[in-house]
Amino acid sequence: SPESVADLRERYEAFDMDGDSWLNVDELRNVLECSDSFCLNKHWLPMDQVERILKMYDTEGTGRIGFHQFVNLAQDKQLLEGKLDEYLAAFQALDKDGSGFIDHSELQAYLETSGYQNFNT
């Protein structure tokens, strides 16, 4: 379910490390790499990807985004929770038997329906 505006405001302010009411590229990277439940202590998003996302939402061309742009970013499911939902749905689509694993036959069936015919191992 989408986060409430109050939840987004709280998250936005928590990652606005310099307190200037804007998220710069480093602050945006931090918020994109964290969810409500965990945050790794090592960066995993490539900086060029973060810069591309920043440019998508930086409607004023300032190199930073304000809260309203952050809300748009969240509504477009750019935050980790939205991506995790997409990844889980994709995994579950492949995990036909619901075992929590994608076994050889499930992977083979997917590859064959995707046009890979010579998948023999």
Side-chain angles (χ1 to χ4, degrees), residues 20 23 25 35 37-39 42 61 67 73 75 78 86-87 94 107 109:
D20 67 353
L23 295 183
V25 69
S35 76
S37 56
F38 71 94
C39 191
K42 182 178 179 183
F67 180 68
L73 181 144
Q75 289 173 338
Q78 293 290 336
E86 291 174 24
Y87 297 150
L94 293 176
L107 181 58

Side-chain angles (χ1 to χ4, degrees), residues 33-51:
E33 291 179 332
C34 295
S35 76
D36 286 339
S37 56
F38 71 94
C39 191
L40 299 175
N41 62 358
K42 182 178 179 183
H43 289 299
W44 56 271
L45 273 176
M47 188 55 88
D48 63 328
Q49 184 176 353
V50 177
E51 289 168 350

Side-chain angles (χ1 to χ4, degrees), residues 4-5 8 13 16 18 20 22 33 37 47 53 55 58-59 64-65 68 72 80 82 86 106 110 113 116:
S4 74
V5 173
L8 288 174
E13 290 174 355
D16 177 18
D18 58 12
D20 67 353
W22 296 93
E33 291 179 332
S37 56
M47 188 55 88
I53 292 169
K55 286 179 185 171
D58 177 17
T59 56
R64 58 192 188 169
I65 62 171
H68 294 293
N72 291 337
L80 187 56
E86 291 174 24
E106 291 166 328
Y110 169 74
T113 60
Y116 295 95

